[in-house]
């Protein structure tokens, strides 16, 4: 959508002098064919002072935004000419350019005009929302806007009406600042061009000194305040003082001076730390406590992006260290685990040094090793400053990245480096960053030639897991097999169990849950033969077995295993342990699969409450729980709560730059399903197609669970009687499943039943019968006759039998009564 270089968003405020453009209201009969040397194409907008046209210039050939004054009062003309003077000084890529000025003689009266750069784009806020812009990109935009405003300030120009509607972003992502209609030069006060008591600007974005109507108090820090409001809205999704949008000027002055806005971090958790501090300093009610210039504000935003100390916060010891523990509890836990591992390594090194005092040279070497570990620990913790990140989970990455970087430079023995690499790599894997874990393990293994036999086993196992998570199954399986087949020295018992568990996980990842079940059952029986293990391996195996049974469609067995797993986890690890909550989440999914909506909702609510309490509301695992609950609510007919929750999940991930990550695509699928349920079919279809497009860009669905959007799209198309299109989607699904899922997987029957219904709607009765017979047989085997899916397939098949004249079969196919 194209917008004029003149302001096309007048969202409130007292701006008697600015050209506040509104959408054209008339048919445009009075639109002139030409103004000056420009051919008029159409009216872009109009306001109390004049109009803005889209016009064509011939030499050079280009379109311009032509701003024409219609109110010819002395003040209006003076301000219009002032705008021309100001714009003429501002040649900057971030400011809409002034091409020419002049007057058009009409009825003997000169009508002034400005020809400005025509910017095709959306205003700042709409652009960010519609493109799903991640937080880092929003900060880059803010920095570019600040640089442009600082350029204007350097030429003595203060804008005084900065707001998102006066900032358009073009197709190349370049922000353009518009509408200097009420801007002024710093020396204007001395010339008497700004009158005391004038209120110029848009109220929600005006600084306290602007609202007071005192021109002498307005300087570059007023624009800085407006930029702070814009930053707050762009990052947090709302204004610092939302009530200003509808308040009077007198009320606005009182609100801004006496009411403290909520911190940015409280409404946008991703802004915790330095970003919150930087934006809130720009918003300080007292100009002297803000930044001295917009350039300083921009510099601190850049420091936030670069994870460097910001000027808004003194670099004290507390800032660099203690706040890590006090303000980021989850991050602290991860970092402390890393630090403890390093301390243990240090202690081990010291023990070696002191226990081998008989060999002075060896003792010196061990002491040097201990010193190297200590230096490594000190540099890692100093460089991984927790306050310089854009979100809690990213702070963990910062700690790990700093540790990995320092590890590569530290002069450590191969054994110590292997131990630390294993610890760091395992943490990367838990964060889902298999690629970084892979690099770390590979580097450590390449330097492991001098390790004693067996000392690199942990690295090999970690490397295999990293390969499997990256879908490098052949390489990962080969590494595991080589490890398990080695005879000398034999693997430790714990490591052997972990390697066999990794083999089973590999089978699940490769869509072979049936084979995984057999492997896990054998492994669990063996480790339990000696009683419960202190290291909890039997709990992990049992939980993995429950997941494999569910994926294999053996829901009754899976439910029994999950119920036992929950009991064992609560007894041995406690109700809030992450593994306990994972077991309960699995049980909730199985209750939902069985159609027990009340039990499913109860489990999902309990798990979410615990994870919010233990991990915080924006932790990835917490968001996964919120998504499960939202989906269950929508399926249970509680759409309003489900939609509200799933929108929160989608927005939280978007702010972390995960808008098109696989979990968020499934969250959007939940929202699309809910929209369809509410009858918003076009919105639902558009969202489903955008999900499928994003999956295709990433190489297709990530796993069996990710085929939901295409199935839902096909069902929606059938609802719209676009049956031939629906069949095409079902055929794509069948092809994908044939290449990725084991025979007998329940999704073949679920999709097959839906496809059979589609064939029936196309009156391809024989094909529909074959598809539905196969689907019904499998669904009864998997779920039982009374399950909703089995009953639906039976109803569909009975209908097809009747159409084929097979009345006896149709009568025998009546669905079993609901439980």
């Amino acid at each position: 959508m194209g917008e004029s270089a003149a302001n096309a968003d007048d969202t409130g405020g007292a701006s008697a002098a600015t050209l506040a453009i509104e959408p054209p209201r008339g048919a445009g009969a009075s639109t002139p064919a030409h103004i000056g040397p420009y051919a008029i194409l159409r009216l872009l907008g109009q306001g109390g002072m004049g109009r803005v046209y889209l016009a064509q210039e011939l030499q050079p050939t280009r379109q311009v935004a032509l701003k024409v004054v219609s109110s010819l009062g002395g003040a209006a003309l003076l301000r219009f000419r002032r705008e021309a003077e100001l714009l003429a000084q501002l040649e900057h890529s971030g400011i809409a350019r002034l091409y020419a000025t002049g007057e058009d003689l009409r009825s003997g009266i000169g009508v002034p005009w400005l020809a400005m750069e025509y910017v095709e784009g959306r205003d700042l806020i709409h652009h960010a929302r519609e493109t799903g812009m991640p937080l880092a990109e929003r900060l880059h935009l803010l920095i570019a806007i600040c640089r442009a405003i600082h350029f204007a300030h350097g030429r003595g120009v203060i804008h005084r009406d900065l707001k998102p509607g006066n900032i358009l972003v073009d197709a190349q992502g370049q922000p353009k600042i518009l509408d200097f209609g009420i801007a002024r030069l710093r020396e204007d006060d001395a010339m008497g061009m700004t009158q005391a008591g004038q209120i110029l600007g848009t109220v929600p974005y005006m600084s306290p000194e602007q609202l007071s109507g005192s021109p002498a108090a307005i300087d570059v820090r007023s624009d800085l305040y407006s930029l702070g409001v814009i930053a707050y809205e762009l990052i947090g999704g709302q204004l610092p003082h939302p009530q200003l949008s509808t308040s009077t000027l007198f009320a606005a002055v009182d609100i801004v001076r006496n009411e403290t806005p909520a911190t940015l971090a409280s409404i946008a958790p991703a802004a915790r730390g330095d970003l919150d501090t930087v934006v809130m300093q720009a918003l300080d009610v007292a100009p002297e406590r803000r930044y001295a210039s917009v350039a300083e504000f921009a510099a601190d935003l850049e420091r936030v992006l670069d994870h460097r100390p910001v000027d808004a916060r003194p670099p004290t010891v507390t800032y660099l260290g203690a706040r890590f523990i006090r303000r980021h509890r989850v991050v602290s836990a991860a970092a402390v685990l890393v630090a403890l591992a390093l301390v243990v390594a240090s202690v081990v090194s010291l023990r070696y040094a002191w226990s081998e005092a008989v060999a002075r040279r060896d003792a010196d070497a061990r002491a040097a090793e201990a010193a190297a570990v200590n230096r490594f620990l000190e540099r890692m913790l100093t460089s991984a400053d927790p306050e310089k990140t854009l979100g809690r989970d990213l702070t963990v990455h910062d700690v790990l990245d700093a540790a990995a970087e320092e590890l590569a430079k530290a002069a450590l023995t191969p054994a110590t480096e292997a131990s630390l690499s294993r610890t760091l790599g395992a943490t990367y894997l838990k964060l889902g960053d298999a690629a970084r874990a892979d690099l770390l393990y590979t580097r450590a293994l390449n330097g492991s030639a001098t390790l004693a036999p067996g000392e690199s086993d942990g690295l090999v196992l970690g490397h295999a897991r990293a390969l499997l998570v990256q879908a490098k199954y052949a390489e990962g399986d080969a590494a595991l097999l080589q490890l398990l087949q080695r005879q000398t020295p034999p693997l430790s018992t714990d490591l052997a169990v972990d390697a066999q568990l990794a083999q089973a996980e590999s089978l699940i990842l490769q869509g072979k849950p049936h084979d995984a079940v057999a492997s896990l059952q054998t492994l669990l029986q063996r480790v339990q033969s000696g009683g419960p293990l202190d290291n909890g391996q039997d709990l992990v195996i049992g939980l993995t077995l429950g997941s494999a049974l569910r994926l294999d469609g053996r829901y009754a067995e899976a439910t029994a295993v999950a119920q036992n797993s929950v009991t064992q986890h609560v007894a041995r690890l406690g109700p809030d342990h992450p593994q306990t909550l994972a077991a309960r989440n699995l049980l909730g999914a199985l209750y939902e699969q069985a159609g027990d909506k009340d039990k499913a909702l109860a489990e999902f609510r309990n798990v979410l409450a615990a994870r919010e309490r233990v991990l915080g509301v924006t932790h990835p695992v917490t968001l996964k729980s919120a998504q499960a609950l939202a989906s269950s609510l929508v399926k249970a007919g509680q759409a309003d709560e489900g939609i509200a929750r799933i929108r929160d999940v989608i927005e939280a991930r978007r702010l972390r730059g995960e808008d098109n990550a696989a979990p968020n695509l499934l969250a959007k699928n939940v929202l699309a399903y809910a929209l369809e349920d509410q009858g918003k079919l076009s919105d639902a279809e558009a969202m489903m197609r955008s999900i499928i497009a994003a999956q295709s860009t990433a190489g297709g669905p990530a796993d069996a669970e990710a085929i939901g959007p295409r199935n839902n799209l096909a069902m929606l198309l059938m609802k719209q009687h676009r049956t031939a299109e629906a069949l095409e989607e079902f055929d794509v699904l069948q092809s994908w499943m044939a290449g990725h899922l084991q025979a007998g997987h329940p999704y073949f029957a679920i999709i097959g039943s839906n496809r059979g219904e589609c064939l029936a709607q196309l009156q391809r009765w024989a094909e529909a019968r074959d598809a539905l017979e196969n689907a019904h047989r499998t669904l009864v085997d998997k779920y039982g006759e009374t399950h909703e899916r089995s009953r639906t397939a039976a109803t569909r098949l009975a209908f097809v039998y009747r159409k084929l004249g097979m009345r006896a079969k149709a009568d025998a196919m009546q669905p079993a009564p609901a439980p």
Side-chain angles (χ1 to χ4, degrees):
M1 176 178 178
E3 299 251 0
S4 163
N7 177 21
D9 174 29
D10 186 33
T11 55
S15 183
T18 188
L19 180 59
I21 299 302
E22 302 170 357
R25 288 176 290 231
S30 61
T31 300
H34 291 82
I35 295 179
Y38 303 98
I40 304 303
L41 301 178
R42 61 184 171 91
L43 180 65
L44 292 174
Q46 61 189 9
M49 280 180 56
R51 292 184 172 192
V52 177
Y53 298 98
L54 177 62
Q56 182 70 45
E57 185 176 6
L58 298 179
Q59 292 294 334
T61 302
R62 62 186 174 193
Q63 290 185 342
V64 301
L66 197 67
K67 190 171 183 178
V68 182
V69 166
S70 59
S71 174
L72 297 177
L77 275 175
L78 184 61
R79 195 165 296 283
F80 191 82
R81 289 167 179 161
R82 191 53 159 168
E83 181 179 3
E85 293 176 17
L86 296 175
L87 286 171
Q89 304 176 48
L90 303 180
E91 287 285 335
H92 189 277
S93 60
I95 297 173
R97 294 179 59 198
L98 172 68
Y99 292 141
T101 66
E103 290 188 2
D104 189 54
L105 192 62
R106 294 189 176 274
S107 301
I109 300 175
V111 179
W113 51 260
L114 298 178
M116 296 177 295
E117 178 182 1
Y118 174 63
V119 181
E120 282 197 273
R122 296 289 285 159
D123 74 74
L124 178 66
I125 298 298
H126 284 92
H127 173 79
R129 288 174 182 166
E130 291 172 7
T131 59
M133 184 176 291
L135 180 56
E137 289 185 26
R138 294 176 186 234
L139 294 185
H140 281 298
L141 264 183
L142 282 171
I143 291 166
I145 293 164
C146 288
R147 296 301 185 202
I149 290 297
H150 180 64
F151 174 85
H153 288 174
R155 281 141 188 82
V157 179
I158 303 169
H159 191 286
R160 296 201 298 175
D161 194 22
L162 287 170
K163 58 184 177 182
N166 278 340
I167 303 169
L168 298 186
V169 184
D170 65 20
Q172 289 72 44
Q174 171 66 52
K176 296 278 188 178
I177 300 166
L178 321 172
D179 205 346
F180 281 76
I182 66 168
R184 69 170 174 84
L185 293 173
R186 292 178 187 173
E187 62 269 21
D188 280 352
D189 291 336
M191 298 167 61
M193 292 194 66
T194 304
Q195 298 175 14
Q198 274 191 317
I199 306 296
L200 302 175
T202 305
V203 169
Y205 302 91
M206 290 168 65
S207 66
E209 55 270 27
Q210 276 182 278
L211 287 169
S212 70
S214 175
I218 297 174
D219 58 19
V220 296
R221 293 172 296 183
S222 292
D223 278 354
L224 173 62
Y225 181 92
S226 301
L227 288 169
V229 176
I230 292 169
Y232 190 102
E233 184 178 12
L234 184 63
I235 297 164
Q238 68 180 54
L239 291 164
H241 298 286
Q243 63 271 47
L244 290 184
S245 296
T246 55
S247 67
T248 66
L249 278 173
F250 296 108
V253 173
D254 184 64
I255 290 168
V256 172
R257 285 180 175 173
N258 300 314
E259 294 185 15
T260 302
T263 62
L264 180 58
S266 68
I267 63 167
R272 284 180 176 153
D274 281 347
L275 182 55
D276 175 76
T277 302
V278 168
V279 174
M280 297 311 292
Q281 177 164 323
L283 280 173
D284 200 301
V285 69
E288 65 273 11
R289 292 199 296 265
R290 297 174 207 151
Y291 290 94
S293 71
V294 172
E296 291 184 11
F297 180 41
D300 255 0
L301 289 173
E302 287 181 330
R303 292 184 186 102
V304 170
L305 280 171
D306 295 340
H307 303 169
R308 293 181 286 117
V310 298
D311 287 349
R313 190 195 307 270
T316 62
V317 173
T318 300
Y319 173 42
L320 295 175
R323 296 180 78 84
F324 178 37
I325 304 299
R326 188 165 63 250
R327 297 184 49 160
H328 296 268
R329 289 173 292 177
V330 174
V331 177
S332 300
V336 168
L337 285 175
V338 175
L340 285 176
L342 302 179
V343 171
V344 168
S346 178
V347 170
V348 170
S349 295
L350 287 170
R351 179 175 63 81
Y352 285 145
W354 294 330
S355 64
E356 298 178 11
V358 292
R360 180 64 182 174
R361 185 173 59 186
D362 191 35
D364 289 343
R366 294 295 183 181
E369 168 76 356
V373 171
N374 285 334
R375 286 194 301 272
F376 163 53
L377 174 60
E378 180 182 0
R379 287 197 302 268
M380 185 273 290
L381 290 178
T382 301
S383 60
D385 185 350
E387 294 290 313
K388 302 182 186 62
T389 57
L390 305 181
R392 181 176 295 173
D393 55 325
L394 293 177
T395 306
V396 179
H397 271 287
D398 289 339
V399 174
L400 293 176
D401 291 347
E405 184 178 345
E406 291 301 328
L407 183 59
K409 298 184 289 187
L412 304 172
T413 64
T416 301
E417 183 174 352
S419 176
L420 295 176
S421 296
R422 181 180 177 184
T423 300
L424 296 177
T427 310
Y428 271 125
L429 277 177
K430 289 179 180 178
L431 290 173
D433 195 343
R436 293 300 300 272
D438 191 0
L439 289 173
L440 196 65
Y441 286 131
T442 300
R443 188 179 68 202
L445 285 169
N446 289 339
S448 65
T450 59
L451 291 177
E455 285 188 325
S456 64
D457 289 348
L459 289 175
V460 174
L461 176 57
H463 187 226
R465 286 186 184 276
L467 290 168
L468 293 173
V469 174
Q470 296 176 90
K472 298 177 181 179
Y473 302 124
E475 297 173 66
D477 288 342
L480 289 173
L481 188 62
Q482 184 178 4
L483 194 63
L484 286 166
Q485 289 181 340
R486 195 191 67 212
Q487 299 296 320
T488 306
L491 283 179
S492 69
T493 302
D494 288 352
L495 200 63
V497 170
D498 281 343
Q500 291 173 70
L501 178 60
Q503 281 186 319
E505 292 168 346
S506 174
L507 291 170
I508 293 173
L509 289 169
Q510 294 179 65
K512 302 175 182 178
H514 187 77
D515 295 343
V517 167
S519 176
L520 289 164
Q521 286 174 330
T522 301
L523 182 59
L524 184 60
Q525 185 176 13
R526 186 165 73 249
V527 300
Q528 285 181 335
S529 61
L533 301 179
D534 291 339
N535 59 12
Q537 283 180 313
D538 57 329
L539 294 180
V540 178
I541 297 167
L543 180 56
T544 309
L545 173 60
S547 296
L549 285 165
R550 174 177 175 258
L551 291 171
D552 197 35
R554 297 157 66 174
Y555 300 113
E557 295 174 73
T559 301
V561 169
Q563 288 171 334
N564 180 66
S565 182
V566 169
T567 301
Q568 293 295 320
H569 274 87
V570 170
R572 291 164 59 184
L573 300 179
D576 287 345
H577 191 280
Q579 273 185 218
T580 305
L581 297 177
R584 295 191 68 173
N585 204 63
L586 171 62
L587 185 57
L590 287 161
Y591 283 147
E592 184 177 72
Q593 203 87 44
D596 196 335
K597 297 173 182 176
D598 291 339
K599 282 188 177 180
L601 285 173
E603 286 294 344
F604 288 142
R605 287 190 189 279
N606 288 334
V607 170
L608 178 59
R611 282 177 168 166
E612 287 180 341
R613 183 173 63 254
V614 175
L615 301 175
V617 295
T618 60
H619 191 281
V621 176
T622 306
L623 292 176
K624 186 177 180 181
S625 278
Q627 181 170 329
L629 174 59
S631 177
S632 192
L633 286 164
V634 170
K635 293 174 185 175
Q638 301 179 38
D640 289 344
E641 183 185 353
I643 288 174
R645 286 186 178 274
I646 203 64
R647 286 190 187 278
D648 287 345
V649 170
I650 292 169
E651 178 65 9
R653 289 194 178 123
R654 184 190 65 76
L655 288 172
R656 292 208 313 270
E658 299 172 0
D659 194 44
N660 283 331
N664 217 36
L665 293 179
L666 293 182
K668 291 179 180 181
N669 185 53
V670 173
L671 179 56
Y673 182 89
L675 292 172
E676 179 186 350
D677 235 25
Q678 293 185 330
K680 300 175 181 178
L681 302 187
S682 60
D683 291 343
E685 181 181 348
M687 181 161 286
M688 290 172 189
R689 290 192 183 279
S690 72
I691 296 166
I692 293 168
Q695 288 179 332
S696 299
T697 301
D703 51 35
E705 302 297 320
I707 67 176
R710 193 177 290 273
N711 175 70
N712 291 351
L713 174 61
M715 297 299 288
L716 174 61
L717 292 170
M718 282 201 295
K719 184 181 291 187
Q720 296 174 308
H721 306 294
R722 296 157 63 186
T723 321
E725 294 178 60
L727 185 60
E728 291 178 6
E729 300 298 337
F730 283 130
D731 288 345
V732 171
L733 279 177
Q734 278 205 323
S735 176
W736 185 90
M737 291 189 297
H740 294 83
L741 302 182
Q742 281 185 307
H745 193 286
Y747 280 5
F748 283 105
I750 294 170
I751 303 300
S753 176
N754 293 340
R755 184 173 180 273
E757 170 68 10
C758 184
L759 289 165
Q761 289 188 18
L762 289 168
Q763 299 184 21
R764 293 161 61 171
W765 304 115
E767 295 173 77
R769 178 196 60 202
D770 293 343
L772 287 167
E773 283 179 340
N774 290 332
H776 179 256
R777 187 183 310 113
T778 303
L779 289 169
V780 170
D781 289 343
K782 295 289 186 184
Y783 297 99
E785 289 187 347
T786 61
H787 191 277
E788 182 180 357
R789 295 189 188 279
S790 304
R791 297 174 70 251
T792 298
T795 300
R796 291 169 170 172
L797 185 53
F799 176 78
V800 171
Y801 280 152
R802 286 193 178 88
K803 288 294 183 179
L804 289 169
M806 306 167 67
R807 295 190 177 278
K809 280 197 169 186
D811 292 341
M813 189 47 63
Q814 292 301 321

